């Protein structure tokens, strides 16, 4: 008989993870994305394009994002997805970041997000050596994996300190 699975962090498991290292898979997605977006903004390596306030994130959206730092948040979410997948192409990311399209009285359908926006963010992540092109898609670099794991460690330390 196996012991039941833990659904939350226990103090001894957090300390054990800190001893062996924390990865992006060990922290909640929202907390990691917020922390990595703040890191990208503070570092100044990613520049927001001048068209960012005019663009929509998908053709089925009515408005552009309301958050002024949405570009950093999307870049952090893309970096996390490339980390979690073996290879991540623009088409797969378009599916992942898509949402429902309202079709009036007909049923809602899934619609894909904007490919050009994802491509530009991936190119900027390539320029700062977080991801690299490999075959048909992008993979995380060793430097990018270390950066993302370091940010994940700070998220775990912050949640541990707040408890």
């Amino acid at each position: 008989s196996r012991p039941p699975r833990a659904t939350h962090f226990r103090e001894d498991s957090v300390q054990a993870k800190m001893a062996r290292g924390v990865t992006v898979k060990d922290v909640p997605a929202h907390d990691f994305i917020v922390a990595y977006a703040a890191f990208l903004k503070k570092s100044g390596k990613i520049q927001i394009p001048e068209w960012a306030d005019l663009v929509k994130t998908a053709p089925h959206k009515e408005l552009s994002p309301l958050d002024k730092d949405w570009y950093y948040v999307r870049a952090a979410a893309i970096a996390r997805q490339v980390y979690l997948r073996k290879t991540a192409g623009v088409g797969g990311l378009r599916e992942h970041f898509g949402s429902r399209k309202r079709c009036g009285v007909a049923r809602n359908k899934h619609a894909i997000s904007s490919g050009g926006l994802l491509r530009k963010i991936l190119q900027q992540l390539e320029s700062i050596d977080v991801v690299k092109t490999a075959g048909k898609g992008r993979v995380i670099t060793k430097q990018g994996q270390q950066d993302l794991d370091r940010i994940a460690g700070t998220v775990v330390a912050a949640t541990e300190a707040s408890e």
Side-chain angles (χ1 to χ4, degrees):
S1 68
R2 293 172 38 187
R5 297 175 77 182
T7 57
H8 62 283
F9 290 125
R10 292 190 343 226
E11 287 190 33
D12 56 343
S13 67
V14 170
Q15 291 173 353
K17 285 181 182 181
M18 292 300 285
R20 70 174 166 86
V22 177
T23 66
V24 174
K25 296 178 183 181
D26 297 329
V27 297
H30 181 264
D31 297 340
F32 173 78
I33 290 171
V34 168
Y36 192 57
F39 170 77
L40 289 174
K41 183 177 180 181
K42 189 174 103 176
S43 68
K45 293 179 180 178
I46 289 188
Q47 300 298 323
I48 296 180
E50 64 256 5
W51 46 261
D53 58 339
L54 305 172
V55 71
K56 300 187 302 181
T57 57
H60 59 277
K61 297 285 186 181
E62 291 184 3
L63 298 172
S64 60
L66 299 176
D67 184 14
K68 60 183 167 96
D69 295 333
W70 70 269
Y71 197 80
Y72 298 111
V73 173
R74 181 58 60 101
I78 290 172
R80 180 180 175 274
Q81 281 300 311
V82 174
Y83 182 98
L84 295 177
R85 300 173 182 216
K86 289 182 182 178
T87 58
V90 174
L93 292 173
R94 288 182 77 181
E95 281 289 330
H96 177 77
F97 288 105
S99 61
R100 70 180 173 95
K101 177 181 179 182
R102 297 190 61 211
C103 300
V105 296
R107 292 184 178 187
N108 296 333
K109 297 179 181 177
H110 180 76
I112 57 178
S113 69
S114 172
L117 175 66
L118 298 173
R119 197 172 302 110
K120 294 294 182 189
I121 292 174
L122 283 170
Q123 289 169 356
Q124 286 192 347
L125 289 173
E126 275 187 63
S127 69
I128 63 171
D129 198 33
V130 174
V131 299
K132 66 179 178 181
T133 305
K136 290 188 173 186
R138 301 301 202 292
V139 295
I140 197 87
T141 61
K142 187 169 179 67
Q143 180 65 36
Q145 183 176 358
Q146 289 173 354
D147 288 346
L148 269 62
D149 287 342
R150 185 172 36 81
I151 298 295
T154 60
V155 169
V156 168
T159 57
E160 182 181 296
S162 67
E163 289 179 352

